[in-house]
Amino acid sequence: MAKKNKRVRPAARLPKGFRDIEAAELRATQAMLAAIRETYERYGFEGLETPAFEYTDALGKFLPDSDRPNEGVFSLQDEDERWMSLRYDLTAPLARYVAENYDKLPKPFRRFATGTVWRNEKPGPGRFRQFTQFDADTVGTQSVAADAEICMLAADTMEALGIGRGEYQIRVNSRKVLDGVLEGIGIDPADAGGAKRLTILRAVDKLDRLGAEGVSLLLGGGRKDESGDFTSGAGLEADAISRVLSFVEAGAEKGTDTLNAIAALVENSETGREGVAELRQMQELFEAAGYADERVRIDPSIVRGLDYYTGPVFEAELTFEVNDEKGRPVRFGSVGGGGRYDDLVARFTGQSVPATGFSIGVSRLQAALAALGRVETNAASGPVVVLVMDRSELPRYQRMAGDLRAAGVRAEMYLGTSGMKAQMKYADKRGAPCVIIQGSDERESGEVQIKDLIEGAKAAQSIADNKEWKESRPAQVSVPEADLVEEVKKIIARHC
Amino acid sequence: MAKKNKRVRPAARLPKGFRDIEAAELRATQAMLAAIRETYERYGFEGLETPAFEYTDALGKFLPDSDRPNEGVFSLQDEDERWMSLRYDLTAPLARYVAENYDKLPKPFRRFATGTVWRNEKPGPGRFRQFTQFDADTVGTQSVAADAEICMLAADTMEALGIGRGEYQIRVNSRKVLDGVLEGIGIDPADAGGAKRLTILRAVDKLDRLGAEGVSLLLGGGRKDESGDFTSGAGLEADAISRVLSFVEAGAEKGTDTLNAIAALVENSETGREGVAELRQMQELFEAAGYADERVRIDPSIVRGLDYYTGPVFEAELTFEVNDEKGRPVRFGSVGGGGRYDDLVARFTGQSVPATGFSIGVSRLQAALAALGRVETNAASGPVVVLVMDRSELPRYQRMAGDLRAAGVRAEMYLGTSGMKAQMKYADKRGAPCVIIQGSDERESGEVQIKDLIEGAKAAQSIADNKEWKESRPAQVSVPEADLVEEVKKIIARHC
């Protein structure tokens, strides 16, 4: 029997591509989400939480890098044999929600959402199958004032998180202008079900990583990468390639210069002209609101990988440098993006409902804040630990912990059965700012010892001699039990 | 082609048993979760977030009302054909986490977790297949001081949420004492793989709902309910039934009286005596900390449905009355519970790791707060809406909204294309405290109109005549544009 039990014992391990998030990271994430939420609410966006599951047909197939049906999605059959899938983003569920509740919603409808999404992809280092997104979308208006607002919201959000002006930039382009460029080189956006257009867009999207030369190859015959893998190209002629490149490289210092340059490139396309007019209107709003400085900028190299965008597209880029895996300095890059998508609700209702939105990749943004050293770490964030010197006095120690909590101090009584040394080790591991010690001597004289662990650790570095250490008892004070709470508060205040 | 598109259009609806959570409810949930988190952190608990998926074998089969394998769980096969399941509670993933990370954890390890869990059950009215739990667990100590601490934490949490003293009670019992009672009537807890014990426990668990008579039937030959459905009983003799009932009804006003009464009932069982000793130790801690008043109470009728508890069990009961679906007053009842479970980590490692924990059903607790009228509702919580009177002046309106936001005021510019009347309707729907109006007249004189919608709605009730209404323009003021922010802040302060 014992042997059998042993055989069937499960291994304690997570499924591949999933991870646990522990206290310090979780606390930083919570603080970050709260700051984003506060900013979004200030802009009038309202929270919405949709469930993890949607019917598979309602979710649709809009994954950025997945062309085959169901690829990339976790799906299962419900008891009535209908397929359900875990959401892979927060946009598809929003489209379903809007279609289902259209009549009762205020129009336009501004909603924000934060939540877990799942991708059934091959996991890799730093590549997880569950992560958190934070989205803001405005549904029900064609006005590009909505797009402009979302760009300014994105800028304010970066600053609310402590990313300084100049360390980020919101970059804006328009799919209509891009389509105008394609029209100019004789490509119908709908060719081959839009596949050719998408190949071109994705080639341009790699400008940052591959440079103009690499993109040229992907726009033309194809490109062999360092590992020898060949990616076939869009098959454009040299002239067409150079027109596409001159468009994506048309970004100038001043927004109006950029707009004039791209206007010249699409002047023969109605779609292109419409796109330029929309960007001009957005630029005017950025200028009026004072965001046309280093915060928001028209940039023709911004494309975004998703097929469904129909108008302005935007990307939040972090412009500071970090070292890549080989130690070379690289720009941190994108932490979020979005754009206008006017056809997602029409999938359900047949009626076009214009919409625009922006999505933040939460863990990537958090990595950026960590790289900038902007993640709040509080040396005194662990709980005060009340040591148990005498197990028959548990109620007494419990009361001390209770008194500290009642005063708003994080505190706990040691709950294990080990001795003094192990308890001190435990307190260190917990990040306790101080420990409370009351042996029988102190109890009889109505006193407690408070040992400041942060101060103690500093003192330990400057005291070499063990004897000297024991005699000086650095950072340890004896106070009347009645003064416990007040003294502890002083110590914590000192380290905050 | 158009016809084909129409045929394949998906319906916009949620899968059965799932729901969307909209802004007002979501805001209340967030506030609730923050208050719980703050209390748990004060007690020294640390956050942990495990992913939605676990390997099915790691998750185990611990659903309260599901005896068949895989029943109640959403499962799917990973690409390597291994089964993964969505977590159905937060305890099983904690056991996996502790087994996987045992060496690096502080011991004891206090962790809290909040998150979504899924149950693949038949949905019904108010019965969803996705919901949120909030758990606190202490792992790695046998000391019942840990159980006592969790009971006091539960009490403090209720009060942090605004549930007053006397409106709730934390009730405590012990599985060891229950097993002692069973021993006294000749039942080995392990009989029939523990199935008989579980039948008895679940019968007792229905005392609140069925009364002593109903429980008697379930302990004996079985019970036919109002609809005629028959539930077979535990098959106990009359004498055994009366001993079980005299135990579960042994609760007295004073904790020590209860303890003496149950001690007498299990005096011949070693397990039973051990259970009573533990409860006495907990009672001592409750008394020392001042929680042995109406807050925490030993109550032998508390059983909890889960099989895996091994020691103290507890339940957070709300004692106030609400009306049931037939309009009859009933006690609100349980909003959370837990207990000691010493064998969950041993499933993985073979080594027993003692643990105890408490789980709150978030939506049930939120329903309780709503019933008590303790959900914060802020009349001025909607955004200020800047109306668009002249579309060529968008940048100007946009700037007003921006100025308000910069001052910390929720504000938005109307983004649709409708006229004045529709815009006012929109502002009402958004719960706007006021709207900002600037037509060409006001613009030329450098003024803005601010219309207080909350005041206006009140005034409208007392003004019958449409003409009088138009002339008096209640709750509308004209101020210099430079005073906009200040005036809006005054109006909002008035309605908070």
Side-chain angles (χ1 to χ4, degrees), chain A residues 399-409 411 485 489, chain B residues 42 156 291:
Chain A
R399 203 167 49 230
M400 292 181 197
D403 288 346
L404 287 165
R405 285 173 197 144
V409 176
V485 171
K489 280 183 139 177
Chain B
R42 201 141 35 84
D156 283 6
Y291 284 72

Side-chain angles (χ1 to χ4, degrees), chain A residues 185-469:
Chain A
I185 58 171
I187 290 180
D188 182 331
D191 268 355
K196 188 152 192 174
R197 171 177 181 258
L198 202 56
T199 308
I200 296 171
L201 293 181
R202 288 184 181 161
V204 171
D205 200 27
K206 299 197 173 86
L207 184 67
D208 240 26
R209 201 147 50 80
L210 305 180
E213 201 184 334
V215 173
S216 282
L217 294 171
L218 287 174
L219 289 172
R223 176 178 178 272
K224 196 181 278 189
D225 68 16
E226 285 163 20
S227 72
D229 283 350
F230 184 77
T231 309
S232 51
L236 299 188
E237 301 294 329
D239 179 53
I241 293 173
S242 98
R243 285 190 67 166
V244 172
L245 280 178
S246 65
F247 169 72
V248 300
E249 298 185 315
E253 197 52 48
K254 278 185 64 183
T256 43
D257 293 344
T258 308
L259 284 164
N260 291 337
I262 63 179
L265 287 163
V266 297
E267 61 187 349
N268 295 321
S269 156
E270 197 188 319
T271 309
R273 287 195 305 271
E274 203 178 294
V276 172
E278 288 176 357
L279 288 179
R280 279 196 201 281
Q281 206 188 329
M282 289 174 74
Q283 178 70 15
E284 194 188 346
L285 288 166
F286 298 143
E287 280 168 9
Y291 284 73
D293 50 9
E294 65 264 64
R295 281 180 280 178
V296 185
R297 188 167 173 245
I298 308 287
D299 181 343
S301 74
I302 296 303
V303 174
R304 306 292 304 158
L306 285 169
D307 196 22
Y308 58 60
Y309 291 124
T310 54
V313 286
F314 10 93
E315 198 155 289
E317 293 245 354
L318 300 190
T319 51
F320 60 88
E321 291 188 336
V322 288
N323 288 337
D324 70 3
E325 64 276 16
K326 290 178 184 159
R328 295 169 303 201
V330 290
R331 269 238 288 255
F332 192 91
S334 171
V335 290
R340 177 162 285 276
Y341 54 98
D342 285 345
D343 302 322
L344 283 190
V345 177
R347 285 186 62 236
F348 298 102
T349 60
Q351 283 188 307
S352 174
V353 177
T356 183
F358 178 77
S359 178
I360 288 175
V362 169
S363 65
R364 186 151 169 78
L365 184 51
Q366 190 165 342
L369 293 179
L372 283 168
R374 307 276 157 79
V375 176
E376 216 179 304
T377 48
N378 184 346
S381 68
V384 174
V385 176
V386 180
L387 303 193
V388 173
M389 310 301 288
D390 178 351
R391 293 197 59 77
S392 66
E393 294 294 333
L394 280 188
R396 198 178 180 101
Y397 299 126
Q398 176 71 67
R399 203 167 49 230
M400 292 181 197
D403 288 346
L404 287 165
R405 285 173 197 144
V409 176
R410 281 195 86 189
E412 54 173 64
M413 173 178 78
Y414 175 72
L415 283 174
T417 50
S418 302
M420 173 81 176
K421 207 171 155 188
Q423 295 193 34
M424 285 300 298
K425 249 189 172 162
Y426 169 83
D428 269 334
K429 207 161 189 175
R430 296 289 283 115
C434 58
V435 295
I436 313 301
I437 306 167
Q438 190 186 56
S440 53
D441 288 355
E442 287 93 2
R443 192 170 67 247
E444 274 157 29
S445 61
E447 301 226 307
V448 289
Q449 299 271 343
I450 308 177
K451 192 173 162 59
D452 180 334
L453 298 190
I454 298 169
E455 203 54 54
K458 279 186 211 152
Q461 290 174 344
S462 59
I463 300 178
D465 186 298
N466 197 275
K467 189 162 161 276
E468 183 195 343
W469 168 266

